Amino acid sequence: MARRKAAQPIQEFPLIRQLQRRHERRSPLIRKGIGDDAAVVSIPAGDWTVLTTDLLTEGIHFDLRTVPPASVGYRAAMANLSDVAAMGAAPRFLLVSIAIPPAFRAADIHALYRGLMSACDQHAVRLIGGDTSASRQGLFLNITLIGTAPRGRALFRDGARTGDGIYVTGTLGDSLAGLQLLTNRPSARRATRLTKADRNFLIDRHRHPTARVREGLWLNQSRLATAAIDLSDGLSGDLRHVCEASRVGADIDLANLPVSPACRAYADSRKMDPGRLALAGGEDYELLFTVAARDERTLERQAGARRFHITKIGTIRPRRSGLQTVAPDGTRAPMPVTSYRHFT
């Protein structure tokens, strides 16, 4: 393998000017963007401002040996876009702070920003500022995303009520399967029956997830969702956040968990239950939301008309019921927390 050229020293202010030239976009809502002490934006009158931030750390959130810089940027943007989507808001403005290790080259930074902005450009999100720093410990990336929602019309975690249906968008477990393929764990090496197409699909779902912004806006505008959250850490943990905030329990029908054909093939090749991947897998960035029973038929009809892929996976129960999984044969069991948790 060819030896990588030594990194050339990065000059901070020329780098900032290059990033500004390449990625700054005009908008009538931006009064002052990159290049001043702070950005100034104009929020539409009466709208709520929705803000989210994520800190991504090399070795914790990503591994540059398996995920290239462009994918790091893309995933970082999608993580924040997904947070805003879960609130039913429209993403508007982005601030990026980055701490750069000595081994990083200017080309790596530009690749990271290309990936980041390719995700943001899908939703007309404008880069308005940030910060740069040196790092001695690895790459650090902090994203702050600003969105807007009509006054009084954001989605929260605390609105689920007993009897509500529990739905998710898309399919679950793909990103975890892709990560296991990339990290080449011993158990993943046995995935010999997996086709190249399935392998590429799962790896791409890990490197290039999709934030469900359009679905979040629809759920908010239609007033059909009673609560919502994005699946960034995994179904078993993120559903628990909704139940704790809403003071309810939940039944999850394992047979109804939406698993892609590629993820099912991967699970079969490892002789494991694909439901384990669906429950544990984070970073699919699908939406989990609850809907009153009387509105479920309307929800499914509207989703079909918009070609949104949604699946009912369970029902909200009284708090005393706790969180339960229900097997196809009707066997019930407490839902274990198998999703990602920091500090454990």
Side-chain angles (χ1 to χ4, degrees):
M1 186 170 66
R3 178 174 295 179
R4 190 176 188 182
K5 293 181 179 179
Q8 297 297 315
I10 293 172
Q11 297 181 331
E12 179 182 6
F13 296 109
L15 173 64
I16 292 172
R17 288 192 292 271
Q18 290 172 4
L19 294 172
Q20 181 178 9
R21 285 197 304 269
R22 295 182 184 189
H23 302 297
E24 189 174 38
R25 303 286 188 273
R26 295 186 181 277
S27 167
L29 298 180
I30 301 174
R31 304 305 181 187
K32 177 62 71 172
I34 301 170
D36 223 304
D37 290 305
V40 179
V41 297
S42 177
I43 301 298
D47 279 2
W48 277 356
T49 304
V50 178
L51 303 101
T52 185
T53 188
D54 269 324
L55 174 63
L56 289 89
T57 305
E58 184 179 350
I60 300 294
H61 299 93
F62 59 88
D63 186 339
L64 288 169
R65 294 172 299 180
T66 57
V67 179
S71 295
V72 171
Y74 192 95
R75 293 174 72 246
M78 283 299 177
N80 284 263
L81 288 165
S82 185
D83 284 337
V84 171
M87 306 298 291
R92 302 281 190 181
F93 311 111
L94 182 78
L95 297 105
V96 181
S97 294
I98 185 170
I100 305 165
F104 232 54
R105 304 171 302 174
D108 296 324
I109 300 170
H110 288 303
L112 187 150
Y113 270 82
R114 282 197 305 273
L116 190 151
M117 293 310 300
S118 70
C120 289
D121 286 345
Q122 297 174 35
H123 303 287
V125 175
R126 302 299 190 237
L127 178 65
I128 60 173
D131 194 18
T132 58
S133 171
S135 168
R136 297 178 180 176
Q137 301 295 328
L139 179 66
F140 294 82
L141 183 63
N142 188 78
I143 307 292
T144 298
L145 187 62
I146 302 168
T148 60
R151 182 176 296 274
R153 294 276 297 279
L155 302 175
F156 300 111
R157 299 178 182 182
D158 62 358
R161 299 293 179 262
T162 299
D164 287 359
I166 304 170
Y167 287 80
V168 292
T169 62
T171 55
L172 307 180
D174 295 328
S175 180
L176 178 57
L179 175 62
Q180 291 182 359
L181 287 168
L182 284 168
T183 53
N184 198 29
R185 294 177 179 175
S187 57
R189 292 176 192 151
R190 296 196 296 269
T192 55
R193 297 200 303 273
L194 202 63
T195 66
K196 183 177 180 180
D198 285 343
R199 185 183 299 271
N200 289 343
F201 173 85
L202 295 172
I203 289 175
D204 190 63
R205 280 277 284 162
H206 177 69
R207 288 179 170 174
H208 302 101
T210 301
R212 303 300 181 180
V213 174
R214 292 174 56 235
E215 289 87 337
L217 289 169
W218 159 61
L219 289 170
N220 192 13
Q221 292 165 0
S222 66
R223 299 178 183 254
L224 289 170
T226 55
I229 192 171
D230 79 317
L231 298 178
S232 54
D233 293 327
L235 174 62
S236 68
D238 290 325
L239 173 62
R240 199 170 301 268
H241 296 323
V242 171
C243 289
E244 289 175 352
S246 299
R247 298 178 179 273
V248 294
D251 283 352
I252 295 298
D253 297 318
L254 296 178
N256 291 342
L257 294 177
V259 178
S260 69
C263 188
R264 192 172 299 278
Y266 173 72
D268 290 345
S269 73
R270 293 184 54 194
K271 296 181 172 54
M272 66 178 292
D273 178 3
R276 286 175 51 194
L277 292 167
L279 288 173
E283 298 183 335
D284 286 311
Y285 298 115
E286 299 294 348
L287 297 182
L288 179 146
F289 56 97
T290 57
V291 178
R294 66 178 180 276
D295 293 327
E296 288 182 16
R297 187 168 297 178
T298 300
L299 172 92
E300 292 171 6
R301 184 177 65 251
Q302 290 190 16
R306 290 166 174 77
R307 297 186 178 179
F308 292 155
H309 179 194
I310 64 170
T311 305
K312 184 178 180 181
I313 62 168
T315 305
I316 295 295
R317 299 300 186 195
R319 188 178 189 181
R320 62 180 178 274
S321 300
L323 274 67
Q324 301 276 326
T325 59
V326 183
D329 64 0
T331 303
R332 304 170 66 85
M335 180 184 294
V337 180
T338 56
S339 53
Y340 182 81
R341 289 180 290 175
H342 285 282
F343 312 116
T344 58

